[in-house]
Short mmCIF file of all heavy atoms in Angstrom, two decimals:
data_model
loop_
_atom_site.label_atom_id
_atom_site.label_comp_id
_atom_site.label_asym_id
_atom_site.label_seq_id
_atom_site.Cartn_x
_atom_site.Cartn_y
_atom_site.Cartn_z
N MET M 1 0.82 -1.19 0.00
CA MET M 1 0.00 0.00 0.00
C MET M 1 0.87 1.26 0.00
O MET M 1 0.56 2.22 -0.69
CB MET M 1 -0.92 -0.02 1.23
CG MET M 1 -1.87 1.11 1.27
SD MET M 1 -3.05 0.95 -0.07
CE MET M 1 -4.21 2.16 0.39
N LYS M 2 1.96 1.24 0.77
CA LYS M 2 2.85 2.40 0.82
C LYS M 2 3.49 2.66 -0.54
O LYS M 2 3.69 3.80 -0.92
CB LYS M 2 3.93 2.20 1.88
CG LYS M 2 3.41 2.29 3.29
CD LYS M 2 4.53 2.13 4.29
CE LYS M 2 3.99 2.18 5.70
NZ LYS M 2 5.05 2.03 6.69
N LYS M 3 3.82 1.59 -1.25
CA LYS M 3 4.44 1.76 -2.57
C LYS M 3 3.47 2.40 -3.55
O LYS M 3 3.86 3.25 -4.35
CB LYS M 3 4.92 0.41 -3.11
CG LYS M 3 6.11 -0.14 -2.38
CD LYS M 3 6.58 -1.44 -2.96
CE LYS M 3 7.75 -1.98 -2.17
NZ LYS M 3 8.25 -3.24 -2.72
N ILE M 4 2.22 2.02 -3.49
CA ILE M 4 1.22 2.60 -4.37
C ILE M 4 1.06 4.10 -4.08
O ILE M 4 1.01 4.91 -4.99
CB ILE M 4 -0.13 1.88 -4.23
CG1 ILE M 4 0.00 0.45 -4.77
CG2 ILE M 4 -1.23 2.62 -4.97
CD1 ILE M 4 -1.21 -0.41 -4.54
N LEU M 5 1.01 4.45 -2.80
CA LEU M 5 0.89 5.86 -2.43
C LEU M 5 2.12 6.65 -2.88
O LEU M 5 2.01 7.79 -3.31
CB LEU M 5 0.68 6.00 -0.93
CG LEU M 5 -0.66 5.50 -0.40
CD1 LEU M 5 -0.69 5.60 1.11
CD2 LEU M 5 -1.80 6.28 -1.01
N MET M 6 3.28 6.03 -2.78
CA MET M 6 4.52 6.69 -3.20
C MET M 6 4.50 6.95 -4.72
O MET M 6 4.85 8.04 -5.17
CB MET M 6 5.73 5.84 -2.85
CG MET M 6 7.02 6.48 -3.26
SD MET M 6 7.33 7.95 -2.32
CE MET M 6 8.70 7.42 -1.38
N VAL M 7 4.05 5.97 -5.48
CA VAL M 7 3.96 6.12 -6.93
C VAL M 7 2.97 7.24 -7.28
O VAL M 7 3.24 8.08 -8.13
CB VAL M 7 3.55 4.79 -7.61
CG1 VAL M 7 3.19 5.01 -9.07
CG2 VAL M 7 4.67 3.79 -7.49
N ILE M 8 1.84 7.26 -6.61
CA ILE M 8 0.83 8.29 -6.86
C ILE M 8 1.39 9.67 -6.52
O ILE M 8 1.12 10.65 -7.21
CB ILE M 8 -0.46 8.00 -6.07
CG1 ILE M 8 -1.13 6.76 -6.65
CG2 ILE M 8 -1.40 9.18 -6.09
CD1 ILE M 8 -2.30 6.25 -5.85
N ALA M 9 2.19 9.78 -5.48
CA ALA M 9 2.75 11.06 -5.07
C ALA M 9 3.86 11.54 -6.02
O ALA M 9 3.99 12.73 -6.29
CB ALA M 9 3.29 10.97 -3.65
N VAL M 10 4.64 10.63 -6.55
CA VAL M 10 5.79 10.98 -7.39
C VAL M 10 5.39 11.17 -8.85
O VAL M 10 6.01 11.97 -9.55
CB VAL M 10 6.89 9.91 -7.26
CG1 VAL M 10 8.01 10.12 -8.25
CG2 VAL M 10 7.43 9.89 -5.84
N LEU M 11 4.37 10.51 -9.30
CA LEU M 11 3.98 10.56 -10.71
C LEU M 11 3.72 11.98 -11.22
O LEU M 11 4.23 12.34 -12.29
CB LEU M 11 2.75 9.67 -10.95
CG LEU M 11 2.39 9.41 -12.40
CD1 LEU M 11 3.55 8.78 -13.14
CD2 LEU M 11 1.17 8.50 -12.46
N PRO M 12 2.98 12.82 -10.52
CA PRO M 12 2.78 14.19 -11.03
C PRO M 12 4.08 14.98 -11.17
O PRO M 12 4.23 15.77 -12.09
CB PRO M 12 1.87 14.84 -9.99
CG PRO M 12 1.21 13.72 -9.30
CD PRO M 12 2.17 12.58 -9.34
N ILE M 13 5.02 14.76 -10.29
CA ILE M 13 6.30 15.46 -10.35
C ILE M 13 7.07 15.04 -11.59
O ILE M 13 7.63 15.87 -12.30
CB ILE M 13 7.13 15.19 -9.08
CG1 ILE M 13 6.41 15.79 -7.87
CG2 ILE M 13 8.53 15.75 -9.21
CD1 ILE M 13 6.98 15.37 -6.55
N LEU M 14 7.07 13.76 -11.88
CA LEU M 14 7.78 13.26 -13.04
C LEU M 14 7.12 13.70 -14.34
O LEU M 14 7.79 14.01 -15.31
CB LEU M 14 7.87 11.73 -13.00
CG LEU M 14 8.70 11.16 -11.87
CD1 LEU M 14 8.63 9.63 -11.88
CD2 LEU M 14 10.14 11.61 -11.97
N SER M 15 5.82 13.73 -14.36
CA SER M 15 5.13 14.13 -15.58
C SER M 15 5.34 15.61 -15.88
O SER M 15 5.38 16.01 -17.04
CB SER M 15 3.64 13.81 -15.50
OG SER M 15 3.03 14.58 -14.49
N CYS M 16 5.49 16.44 -14.88
CA CYS M 16 5.72 17.87 -15.11
C CYS M 16 7.09 18.14 -15.70
O CYS M 16 7.26 19.05 -16.49
CB CYS M 16 5.57 18.65 -13.80
SG CYS M 16 3.89 18.75 -13.23
N SER M 17 8.06 17.37 -15.31
CA SER M 17 9.41 17.63 -15.79
C SER M 17 9.58 17.30 -17.27
O SER M 17 10.47 17.82 -17.91
CB SER M 17 10.42 16.84 -14.95
OG SER M 17 10.21 15.46 -15.13
N SER M 18 8.71 16.46 -17.82
CA SER M 18 8.84 16.12 -19.23
C SER M 18 7.93 16.96 -20.11
O SER M 18 7.90 16.79 -21.31
CB SER M 18 8.51 14.63 -19.43
OG SER M 18 7.15 14.39 -19.10
N ASN M 19 7.20 17.90 -19.54
CA ASN M 19 6.31 18.76 -20.29
C ASN M 19 7.13 19.83 -21.00
O ASN M 19 7.78 20.65 -20.35
CB ASN M 19 5.28 19.39 -19.36
CG ASN M 19 4.31 20.31 -20.06
OD1 ASN M 19 4.45 20.58 -21.25
ND2 ASN M 19 3.33 20.77 -19.34
N PRO M 20 7.12 19.87 -22.34
CA PRO M 20 7.92 20.85 -23.06
C PRO M 20 7.46 22.29 -22.85
O PRO M 20 8.17 23.22 -23.19
CB PRO M 20 7.79 20.44 -24.52
CG PRO M 20 6.54 19.64 -24.58
CD PRO M 20 6.38 18.99 -23.23
N ASN M 21 6.26 22.46 -22.29
CA ASN M 21 5.73 23.81 -22.05
C ASN M 21 5.73 24.17 -20.58
O ASN M 21 5.04 25.10 -20.17
CB ASN M 21 4.32 23.92 -22.64
CG ASN M 21 4.37 23.95 -24.14
OD1 ASN M 21 4.89 24.86 -24.73
ND2 ASN M 21 3.85 22.90 -24.75
N SER M 22 6.49 23.45 -19.77
CA SER M 22 6.49 23.72 -18.34
C SER M 22 7.21 25.02 -17.99
O SER M 22 7.00 25.57 -16.92
CB SER M 22 7.14 22.55 -17.58
OG SER M 22 8.48 22.41 -17.96
N GLU M 23 8.04 25.51 -18.88
CA GLU M 23 8.70 26.79 -18.68
C GLU M 23 8.90 27.46 -20.04
O GLU M 23 8.98 26.77 -21.06
CB GLU M 23 10.05 26.63 -17.98
CG GLU M 23 11.04 25.80 -18.74
CD GLU M 23 12.32 25.57 -17.95
OE1 GLU M 23 12.24 25.15 -16.80
OE2 GLU M 23 13.38 25.83 -18.52
N PRO M 24 8.94 28.77 -20.08
CA PRO M 24 9.11 29.44 -21.37
C PRO M 24 10.48 29.18 -21.96
O PRO M 24 11.48 29.17 -21.25
CB PRO M 24 8.92 30.92 -21.04
CG PRO M 24 9.01 31.04 -19.57
CD PRO M 24 8.79 29.70 -18.98
N LYS M 25 10.51 28.96 -23.28
CA LYS M 25 11.78 28.73 -23.98
C LYS M 25 11.83 29.63 -25.19
O LYS M 25 10.83 29.88 -25.85
CB LYS M 25 11.90 27.27 -24.41
CG LYS M 25 11.98 26.31 -23.24
CD LYS M 25 12.11 24.89 -23.70
CE LYS M 25 12.09 23.98 -22.48
NZ LYS M 25 11.98 22.60 -22.83
N TYR M 26 13.02 30.10 -25.48
CA TYR M 26 13.23 31.00 -26.60
C TYR M 26 14.37 30.44 -27.45
O TYR M 26 15.32 29.86 -26.94
CB TYR M 26 13.57 32.40 -26.11
CG TYR M 26 12.45 33.00 -25.30
CD1 TYR M 26 12.37 32.78 -23.93
CD2 TYR M 26 11.45 33.74 -25.91
CE1 TYR M 26 11.31 33.30 -23.18
CE2 TYR M 26 10.40 34.26 -25.18
CZ TYR M 26 10.34 34.04 -23.81
OH TYR M 26 9.29 34.54 -23.09
N GLY M 27 14.27 30.63 -28.76
CA GLY M 27 15.30 30.16 -29.67
C GLY M 27 16.51 31.06 -29.66
O GLY M 27 16.57 32.06 -28.94
N ASP M 28 17.49 30.74 -30.49
CA ASP M 28 18.72 31.53 -30.57
C ASP M 28 18.45 32.97 -31.00
O ASP M 28 19.17 33.88 -30.64
CB ASP M 28 19.69 30.88 -31.55
CG ASP M 28 20.18 29.52 -31.06
OD1 ASP M 28 20.19 29.30 -29.83
OD2 ASP M 28 20.54 28.68 -31.91
N SER M 29 17.39 33.15 -31.77
CA SER M 29 17.04 34.49 -32.25
C SER M 29 16.29 35.31 -31.20
O SER M 29 16.03 36.49 -31.41
CB SER M 29 16.18 34.38 -33.50
OG SER M 29 14.95 33.74 -33.18
N GLY M 30 15.92 34.67 -30.10
CA GLY M 30 15.17 35.36 -29.06
C GLY M 30 13.66 35.24 -29.22
O GLY M 30 12.90 35.72 -28.39
N LEU M 31 13.23 34.59 -30.29
CA LEU M 31 11.80 34.40 -30.52
C LEU M 31 11.28 33.21 -29.70
O LEU M 31 12.04 32.29 -29.40
CB LEU M 31 11.54 34.15 -32.00
CG LEU M 31 11.87 35.32 -32.93
CD1 LEU M 31 11.72 34.91 -34.39
CD2 LEU M 31 10.97 36.51 -32.62
N PRO M 32 10.01 33.22 -29.34
CA PRO M 32 9.46 32.12 -28.55
C PRO M 32 9.52 30.80 -29.30
O PRO M 32 9.29 30.76 -30.51
CB PRO M 32 8.00 32.52 -28.31
CG PRO M 32 7.77 33.78 -29.02
CD PRO M 32 9.02 34.23 -29.65
N SER M 33 9.85 29.74 -28.59
CA SER M 33 9.94 28.43 -29.24
C SER M 33 9.04 27.39 -28.59
O SER M 33 9.12 26.22 -28.95
CB SER M 33 11.39 27.94 -29.26
OG SER M 33 11.86 27.76 -27.94
N ASN M 34 8.20 27.78 -27.64
CA ASN M 34 7.17 26.88 -27.14
C ASN M 34 5.93 27.71 -26.81
O ASN M 34 5.96 28.94 -26.84
CB ASN M 34 7.66 26.05 -25.95
CG ASN M 34 7.90 26.85 -24.69
OD1 ASN M 34 7.75 28.06 -24.64
ND2 ASN M 34 8.28 26.15 -23.64
N CYS M 35 4.83 27.03 -26.54
CA CYS M 35 3.56 27.74 -26.34
C CYS M 35 3.58 28.66 -25.13
O CYS M 35 3.00 29.75 -25.18
CB CYS M 35 2.41 26.74 -26.23
SG CYS M 35 1.92 26.12 -27.83
N ARG M 36 4.22 28.26 -24.09
CA ARG M 36 4.23 29.11 -22.89
C ARG M 36 4.86 30.47 -23.19
O ARG M 36 4.34 31.51 -22.82
CB ARG M 36 4.96 28.40 -21.76
CG ARG M 36 4.84 29.14 -20.46
CD ARG M 36 5.46 28.32 -19.35
NE ARG M 36 5.13 28.91 -18.08
CZ ARG M 36 4.65 28.24 -17.07
NH1 ARG M 36 4.44 26.97 -17.17
NH2 ARG M 36 4.39 28.84 -15.94
N SER M 37 5.98 30.47 -23.88
CA SER M 37 6.62 31.74 -24.21
C SER M 37 5.86 32.49 -25.29
O SER M 37 5.76 33.71 -25.24
CB SER M 37 8.07 31.51 -24.65
OG SER M 37 8.13 30.68 -25.79
N TYR M 38 5.28 31.77 -26.24
CA TYR M 38 4.53 32.42 -27.32
C TYR M 38 3.31 33.15 -26.78
O TYR M 38 3.03 34.28 -27.18
CB TYR M 38 4.12 31.40 -28.39
CG TYR M 38 3.50 32.08 -29.57
CD1 TYR M 38 4.29 32.61 -30.57
CD2 TYR M 38 2.12 32.23 -29.67
CE1 TYR M 38 3.74 33.27 -31.65
CE2 TYR M 38 1.56 32.88 -30.75
CZ TYR M 38 2.37 33.40 -31.73
OH TYR M 38 1.81 34.06 -32.78
N ILE M 39 2.59 32.51 -25.88
CA ILE M 39 1.41 33.12 -25.29
C ILE M 39 1.81 34.41 -24.57
O ILE M 39 1.16 35.46 -24.72
CB ILE M 39 0.70 32.17 -24.30
CG1 ILE M 39 0.19 30.94 -25.02
CG2 ILE M 39 -0.39 32.88 -23.53
CD1 ILE M 39 -1.07 31.11 -25.81
N GLN M 40 2.87 34.38 -23.79
CA GLN M 40 3.28 35.56 -23.04
C GLN M 40 3.69 36.69 -23.96
O GLN M 40 3.31 37.85 -23.76
CB GLN M 40 4.41 35.23 -22.06
CG GLN M 40 4.71 36.37 -21.12
CD GLN M 40 3.50 36.73 -20.26
OE1 GLN M 40 2.99 35.90 -19.54
NE2 GLN M 40 3.04 37.96 -20.35
N VAL M 41 4.46 36.38 -24.99
CA VAL M 41 4.88 37.41 -25.95
C VAL M 41 3.65 38.00 -26.65
O VAL M 41 3.56 39.22 -26.84
CB VAL M 41 5.88 36.81 -26.97
CG1 VAL M 41 6.09 37.74 -28.15
CG2 VAL M 41 7.20 36.51 -26.29
N SER M 42 2.70 37.15 -27.00
CA SER M 42 1.49 37.61 -27.67
C SER M 42 0.66 38.53 -26.77
O SER M 42 0.19 39.59 -27.21
CB SER M 42 0.63 36.43 -28.11
OG SER M 42 1.31 35.65 -29.05
N VAL M 43 0.50 38.16 -25.52
CA VAL M 43 -0.26 38.98 -24.58
C VAL M 43 0.46 40.32 -24.34
O VAL M 43 -0.18 41.38 -24.32
CB VAL M 43 -0.50 38.23 -23.26
CG1 VAL M 43 -1.04 39.14 -22.18
CG2 VAL M 43 -1.45 37.06 -23.48
N ASP M 44 1.75 40.27 -24.20
CA ASP M 44 2.51 41.52 -24.00
C ASP M 44 2.36 42.45 -25.20
O ASP M 44 2.19 43.66 -25.03
CB ASP M 44 3.99 41.21 -23.76
CG ASP M 44 4.24 40.52 -22.43
OD1 ASP M 44 3.34 40.52 -21.56
OD2 ASP M 44 5.35 39.96 -22.26
N ALA M 45 2.43 41.89 -26.41
CA ALA M 45 2.28 42.71 -27.62
C ALA M 45 0.86 43.28 -27.72
O ALA M 45 0.67 44.43 -28.11
CB ALA M 45 2.61 41.88 -28.86
N TRP M 46 -0.14 42.49 -27.36
CA TRP M 46 -1.52 42.97 -27.37
C TRP M 46 -1.71 44.10 -26.37
O TRP M 46 -2.32 45.12 -26.69
CB TRP M 46 -2.46 41.81 -27.07
CG TRP M 46 -3.89 42.23 -26.91
CD1 TRP M 46 -4.77 42.54 -27.89
CD2 TRP M 46 -4.58 42.39 -25.67
NE1 TRP M 46 -5.97 42.88 -27.34
CE2 TRP M 46 -5.88 42.81 -25.99
CE3 TRP M 46 -4.23 42.24 -24.34
CZ2 TRP M 46 -6.83 43.06 -25.01
CZ3 TRP M 46 -5.17 42.49 -23.36
CH2 TRP M 46 -6.46 42.90 -23.69
N ARG M 47 -1.17 43.94 -25.17
CA ARG M 47 -1.29 44.99 -24.15
C ARG M 47 -0.59 46.28 -24.57
O ARG M 47 -1.01 47.37 -24.21
CB ARG M 47 -0.72 44.51 -22.82
CG ARG M 47 -1.63 43.56 -22.11
CD ARG M 47 -1.13 43.24 -20.73
NE ARG M 47 -2.10 42.39 -20.05
CZ ARG M 47 -1.78 41.48 -19.16
NH1 ARG M 47 -0.52 41.31 -18.81
NH2 ARG M 47 -2.72 40.75 -18.61
N ALA M 48 0.49 46.14 -25.32
CA ALA M 48 1.23 47.31 -25.79
C ALA M 48 0.55 47.96 -26.99
O ALA M 48 1.01 48.99 -27.47
CB ALA M 48 2.66 46.91 -26.15
N GLY M 49 -0.53 47.36 -27.48
CA GLY M 49 -1.26 47.91 -28.61
C GLY M 49 -0.66 47.61 -29.96
O GLY M 49 -1.03 48.22 -30.96
N GLU M 50 0.27 46.66 -30.02
CA GLU M 50 0.91 46.32 -31.29
C GLU M 50 -0.04 45.57 -32.21
O GLU M 50 0.09 45.66 -33.43
CB GLU M 50 2.16 45.48 -31.04
CG GLU M 50 3.25 46.24 -30.32
CD GLU M 50 4.44 45.36 -30.00
OE1 GLU M 50 4.74 44.42 -30.77
OE2 GLU M 50 5.09 45.62 -28.96
N TYR M 51 -0.95 44.77 -31.64
CA TYR M 51 -1.87 43.96 -32.42
C TYR M 51 -3.27 44.07 -31.85
O TYR M 51 -3.45 44.27 -30.66
CB TYR M 51 -1.44 42.48 -32.41
CG TYR M 51 -0.07 42.26 -33.01
CD1 TYR M 51 1.03 42.05 -32.19
CD2 TYR M 51 0.12 42.27 -34.38
CE1 TYR M 51 2.29 41.87 -32.73
CE2 TYR M 51 1.37 42.09 -34.93
CZ TYR M 51 2.45 41.89 -34.10
OH TYR M 51 3.70 41.70 -34.64
N GLU M 52 -4.24 43.92 -32.72
CA GLU M 52 -5.64 43.89 -32.31
C GLU M 52 -5.95 42.53 -31.67
O GLU M 52 -5.20 41.56 -31.87
CB GLU M 52 -6.56 44.11 -33.52
CG GLU M 52 -6.38 45.46 -34.18
CD GLU M 52 -6.85 46.60 -33.28
OE1 GLU M 52 -7.86 46.42 -32.58
OE2 GLU M 52 -6.21 47.66 -33.29
N THR M 53 -7.03 42.46 -30.95
CA THR M 53 -7.42 41.23 -30.27
C THR M 53 -7.60 40.08 -31.26
O THR M 53 -7.11 38.97 -31.02
CB THR M 53 -8.71 41.44 -29.48
OG1 THR M 53 -8.52 42.51 -28.56
CG2 THR M 53 -9.12 40.19 -28.73
N GLU M 54 -8.28 40.33 -32.36
CA GLU M 54 -8.54 39.27 -33.34
C GLU M 54 -7.24 38.71 -33.92
O GLU M 54 -7.08 37.50 -34.06
CB GLU M 54 -9.42 39.81 -34.47
CG GLU M 54 -9.95 38.75 -35.40
CD GLU M 54 -10.96 37.82 -34.75
OE1 GLU M 54 -11.61 38.22 -33.76
OE2 GLU M 54 -11.11 36.68 -35.24
N GLU M 55 -6.29 39.58 -34.23
CA GLU M 55 -5.00 39.13 -34.75
C GLU M 55 -4.26 38.27 -33.72
O GLU M 55 -3.68 37.23 -34.06
CB GLU M 55 -4.11 40.32 -35.11
CG GLU M 55 -4.59 41.15 -36.27
CD GLU M 55 -3.75 42.38 -36.43
OE1 GLU M 55 -3.74 43.22 -35.49
OE2 GLU M 55 -3.10 42.51 -37.48
N THR M 56 -4.28 38.72 -32.49
CA THR M 56 -3.59 38.00 -31.42
C THR M 56 -4.20 36.63 -31.20
O THR M 56 -3.48 35.63 -31.11
CB THR M 56 -3.64 38.82 -30.11
OG1 THR M 56 -3.04 40.10 -30.35
CG2 THR M 56 -2.91 38.12 -28.98
N MET M 57 -5.52 36.57 -31.14
CA MET M 57 -6.19 35.28 -30.91
C MET M 57 -5.97 34.33 -32.08
O MET M 57 -5.75 33.13 -31.88
CB MET M 57 -7.69 35.49 -30.66
CG MET M 57 -7.98 36.25 -29.39
SD MET M 57 -7.24 35.51 -27.92
CE MET M 57 -8.22 34.04 -27.77
N ASN M 58 -6.01 34.83 -33.30
CA ASN M 58 -5.76 33.98 -34.47
C ASN M 58 -4.34 33.41 -34.44
O ASN M 58 -4.12 32.24 -34.75
CB ASN M 58 -5.99 34.75 -35.77
CG ASN M 58 -7.44 34.99 -36.04
OD1 ASN M 58 -8.32 34.30 -35.53
ND2 ASN M 58 -7.72 36.00 -36.86
N ALA M 59 -3.38 34.23 -34.07
CA ALA M 59 -1.99 33.77 -34.00
C ALA M 59 -1.79 32.74 -32.90
O ALA M 59 -1.10 31.74 -33.09
CB ALA M 59 -1.06 34.96 -33.79
N ILE M 60 -2.42 32.97 -31.76
CA ILE M 60 -2.32 32.00 -30.66
C ILE M 60 -2.94 30.67 -31.08
O ILE M 60 -2.37 29.60 -30.86
CB ILE M 60 -2.97 32.55 -29.38
CG1 ILE M 60 -2.12 33.66 -28.79
CG2 ILE M 60 -3.19 31.43 -28.35
CD1 ILE M 60 -2.76 34.41 -27.64
N GLU M 61 -4.10 30.74 -31.71
CA GLU M 61 -4.76 29.50 -32.17
C GLU M 61 -3.90 28.79 -33.21
O GLU M 61 -3.75 27.57 -33.17
CB GLU M 61 -6.13 29.82 -32.76
CG GLU M 61 -6.86 28.57 -33.21
CD GLU M 61 -8.22 28.88 -33.78
OE1 GLU M 61 -8.37 29.92 -34.46
OE2 GLU M 61 -9.13 28.08 -33.54
N ARG M 62 -3.32 29.54 -34.13
CA ARG M 62 -2.50 28.94 -35.18
C ARG M 62 -1.26 28.24 -34.62
O ARG M 62 -0.89 27.16 -35.06
CB ARG M 62 -2.09 30.04 -36.18
CG ARG M 62 -1.28 29.55 -37.34
CD ARG M 62 -1.01 30.65 -38.37
NE ARG M 62 -0.39 31.84 -37.79
CZ ARG M 62 -1.00 33.02 -37.63
NH1 ARG M 62 -2.26 33.17 -37.97
NH2 ARG M 62 -0.35 34.04 -37.11
N ASN M 63 -0.65 28.85 -33.62
CA ASN M 63 0.60 28.29 -33.10
C ASN M 63 0.43 27.37 -31.89
O ASN M 63 1.23 26.46 -31.69
CB ASN M 63 1.55 29.43 -32.73
CG ASN M 63 2.07 30.12 -33.95
OD1 ASN M 63 2.90 29.59 -34.66
ND2 ASN M 63 1.57 31.31 -34.22
N CYS M 64 -0.59 27.63 -31.08
CA CYS M 64 -0.75 26.87 -29.84
C CYS M 64 -2.14 26.27 -29.68
O CYS M 64 -2.50 25.79 -28.61
CB CYS M 64 -0.45 27.76 -28.64
SG CYS M 64 1.25 28.31 -28.59
N GLY M 65 -2.95 26.32 -30.73
CA GLY M 65 -4.28 25.72 -30.69
C GLY M 65 -4.21 24.21 -30.83
O GLY M 65 -3.14 23.60 -30.70
N MET M 66 -5.34 23.60 -31.14
CA MET M 66 -5.42 22.15 -31.22
C MET M 66 -4.38 21.56 -32.17
O MET M 66 -3.79 20.52 -31.91
CB MET M 66 -6.82 21.73 -31.66
CG MET M 66 -7.02 20.23 -31.64
SD MET M 66 -8.65 19.70 -32.21
CE MET M 66 -9.74 20.60 -31.14
N TYR M 67 -4.15 22.23 -33.28
CA TYR M 67 -3.19 21.72 -34.26
C TYR M 67 -1.93 22.59 -34.33
O TYR M 67 -1.21 22.57 -35.32
CB TYR M 67 -3.85 21.66 -35.64
CG TYR M 67 -5.08 20.79 -35.64
CD1 TYR M 67 -6.36 21.35 -35.73
CD2 TYR M 67 -4.98 19.41 -35.49
CE1 TYR M 67 -7.49 20.55 -35.71
CE2 TYR M 67 -6.10 18.61 -35.46
CZ TYR M 67 -7.36 19.18 -35.57
OH TYR M 67 -8.47 18.39 -35.54
N GLY M 68 -1.67 23.32 -33.28
CA GLY M 68 -0.51 24.22 -33.24
C GLY M 68 0.80 23.48 -33.33
O GLY M 68 0.95 22.35 -32.89
N ASN M 69 1.79 24.15 -33.88
CA ASN M 69 3.09 23.51 -34.10
C ASN M 69 4.09 23.77 -32.98
O ASN M 69 5.21 23.29 -33.03
CB ASN M 69 3.69 23.95 -35.44
CG ASN M 69 3.85 25.45 -35.52
OD1 ASN M 69 3.42 26.19 -34.64
ND2 ASN M 69 4.48 25.91 -36.59
N LEU M 70 3.72 24.52 -31.95
CA LEU M 70 4.68 24.79 -30.86
C LEU M 70 4.49 23.89 -29.65
O LEU M 70 5.23 24.01 -28.68
CB LEU M 70 4.57 26.25 -30.42
CG LEU M 70 5.06 27.29 -31.42
CD1 LEU M 70 4.87 28.69 -30.85
CD2 LEU M 70 6.50 27.06 -31.77
N TRP M 71 3.53 22.99 -29.65
CA TRP M 71 3.26 22.17 -28.48
C TRP M 71 4.43 21.26 -28.11
O TRP M 71 4.72 21.07 -26.95
CB TRP M 71 2.00 21.32 -28.67
CG TRP M 71 0.76 22.09 -28.38
CD1 TRP M 71 -0.18 22.48 -29.28
CD2 TRP M 71 0.34 22.60 -27.12
NE1 TRP M 71 -1.17 23.19 -28.65
CE2 TRP M 71 -0.86 23.28 -27.32
CE3 TRP M 71 0.86 22.55 -25.83
CZ2 TRP M 71 -1.57 23.89 -26.30
CZ3 TRP M 71 0.16 23.16 -24.82
CH2 TRP M 71 -1.03 23.82 -25.05
N ASP M 72 5.06 20.68 -29.07
CA ASP M 72 6.10 19.68 -28.76
C ASP M 72 7.51 20.24 -28.89
O ASP M 72 8.47 19.50 -28.93
CB ASP M 72 5.95 18.48 -29.69
CG ASP M 72 4.64 17.77 -29.46
OD1 ASP M 72 4.19 17.72 -28.30
OD2 ASP M 72 4.06 17.28 -30.43
N GLU M 73 7.63 21.53 -28.95
CA GLU M 73 8.95 22.14 -29.10
C GLU M 73 9.65 22.20 -27.76
O GLU M 73 9.08 22.30 -26.74
CB GLU M 73 8.83 23.54 -29.69
CG GLU M 73 8.24 23.53 -31.07
CD GLU M 73 9.07 22.82 -32.10
OE1 GLU M 73 10.30 22.95 -32.08
OE2 GLU M 73 8.50 22.11 -32.93
#
């Protein structure tokens, strides 16, 4: 019983460490290379008035939506 509880307690910790979006990552050029960083950059640009809401949401959906290409980066 103790072993089962130990596995249940440790499993979430192990699964978080393999999540490619657990922390923001940026490429050599400084551009976002995973969804966590892309979302933050997009929100910052929207707040600064660089992009309209519709443009921002379309870009987030394109890159981090159901079929987005930044999920496994």
Side-chain angles (χ1 to χ4, degrees):
M1 184 67 169
K2 288 182 182 180
K3 289 182 182 181
I4 292 173
L5 291 175
M6 180 67 111
V7 169
I8 291 172
V10 172
L11 191 57
I13 295 169
L14 294 176
S15 65
C16 289
S17 64
S18 65
N19 180 353
N21 288 295
S22 63
E23 61 184 51
K25 294 180 184 170
Y26 299 88
D28 294 334
S29 64
L31 295 173
S33 63
N34 69 358
C35 281
R36 188 174 191 131
S37 60
Y38 187 83
I39 297 282
Q40 189 61 58
V41 167
S42 297
V43 169
D44 292 345
W46 173 78
R47 284 188 176 148
E50 294 176 31
Y51 299 103
E52 297 292 323
T53 303
E54 190 69 24
E55 292 173 297
T56 302
M57 294 305 290
N58 287 339
I60 289 172
E61 182 180 37
R62 182 175 54 251
N63 289 287
C64 296
M66 185 182 304
Y67 302 108
N69 58 354
L70 291 179
W71 278 112
D72 296 325
E73 297 296 320

